Amino acid sequence: MKATGIVRRIDDLGRVVIPKEIRRTLRLREGTPLEIFTDREGEIILKKYSPMVELTAFAGQYAEAMAQATGMMVCITDRDQVIAVSGGSKKELLAKTISKQLEHAIGERNTVVASKDDKSFIPMTSEEMEGITAQAVAPIICEGDAIGSVSLLSREPKAKMGDMEVKLVTTAAGFLGRQMEG
């Protein structure tokens, strides 16, 4: 754990303000759910809560099945990071922070279908991934909230995503969203 040197007092309603610099660094916005942990030494630990964490193993299996069926790379994210990858280099993506563009697409509930040269093409993470030529990305919606995304990524030269690929990612996203509700 790293000390920040910042001290805050609890107000009369039991609230503590998290400084703006820390909120910006950790990408905490108004309404971001935080899980509260305590330990025996009296420490209180706040962690960003991601409902998708509960689905990580299942999402990995789903991604694996989808990658085998399509021969393409499948990437499943929550609102902050990649939680499952199949059909490609896991090291390149797994547990990496998603790009601002992908975060925005999820928040706006946009389904993105693009080739590498299109303006609408969005990187999965902030680090540029080599060789991706086309993508189909759908947001995962659970109880009205956008909680992540499912992406189908191709490395085939001149690949284009069509209606079938869009149906695949939207079906997968819908299924994962419903699993979270159950």
Side-chain angles (χ1 to χ4, degrees), residues 22-42:
I22 293 173
R23 291 193 319 261
R24 187 178 304 128
T25 302
L26 298 178
R27 297 166 92 172
L28 299 173
R29 294 179 267 335
E30 186 179 318
T32 299
L34 299 175
E35 196 166 8
I36 303 169
F37 298 88
T38 60
D39 70 6
R40 289 193 176 105
E41 287 83 50

Side-chain angles (χ1 to χ4, degrees), residues 157-174:
K158 299 182 181 171
K160 293 259 187 247
M161 296 289 178
D163 290 343
M164 188 56 68
E165 290 82 6
V166 172
K167 286 177 183 169
L168 267 171
V169 293
T170 53
T171 300

Side-chain angles (χ1 to χ4, degrees), residues 8-164:
R8 294 286 194 240
R9 297 199 183 283
I10 297 173
D11 72 9
D12 56 341
L13 294 175
R15 298 176 296 198
V16 176
V17 174
I18 301 171
K20 189 176 195 170
E21 305 79 44
I22 293 173
R23 291 193 319 261
R24 187 178 304 128
T25 302
L26 298 178
R27 297 166 92 172
L28 299 173
R29 294 179 267 335
E30 186 179 318
T32 299
L34 299 175
E35 196 166 8
I36 303 169
F37 298 88
T38 60
D39 70 6
R40 289 193 176 105
E41 287 83 50
E43 289 181 321
I44 299 171
I45 300 156
L46 302 175
K47 281 190 170 184
K48 261 201 245 188
Y49 174 71
S50 170
M52 288 293 288
V53 170
E54 299 165 22
L55 263 189
T56 300
F58 183 73
Q61 292 170 346
Y62 199 102
E64 186 72 36
M66 206 167 146
Q68 285 176 355
T70 63
M72 290 187 239
M73 183 186 272
V74 178
C75 177
I76 301 174
T77 73
D78 62 14
R79 293 287 303 255
D80 296 307
Q81 66 179 352
V82 177
I83 64 164
V85 178
S86 189
S89 173
K90 286 187 167 91
K91 262 188 264 177
E92 258 188 301
L93 287 171
L94 196 59
K96 296 278 196 303
T97 302
I98 66 172
S99 69
K100 296 270 187 211
Q101 298 95 313
L102 180 55
E103 187 181 350
H104 181 74
I106 293 167
E108 294 293 314
R109 301 158 188 253
N110 292 338
T111 297
V112 177
V113 182
S115 294
K116 183 68 175 168
D117 301 328
D118 298 346
K119 276 191 245 174
S120 57
F121 189 89
I122 55 176
M124 292 292 106
T125 65
S126 51
E127 300 164 22
E128 184 65 33
M129 232 174 81
E130 290 298 313
I132 300 301
T133 56
Q135 66 184 181
V137 183
I140 299 171
I141 310 296
C142 175
E143 296 176 348
D145 293 326
I147 61 168
S149 69
V150 177
S151 303
L152 202 51
L153 308 168
S154 178
R155 290 185 177 211
E156 290 293 318
K158 299 182 181 171
K160 293 259 187 247
M161 296 289 178
D163 290 343
M164 188 56 68

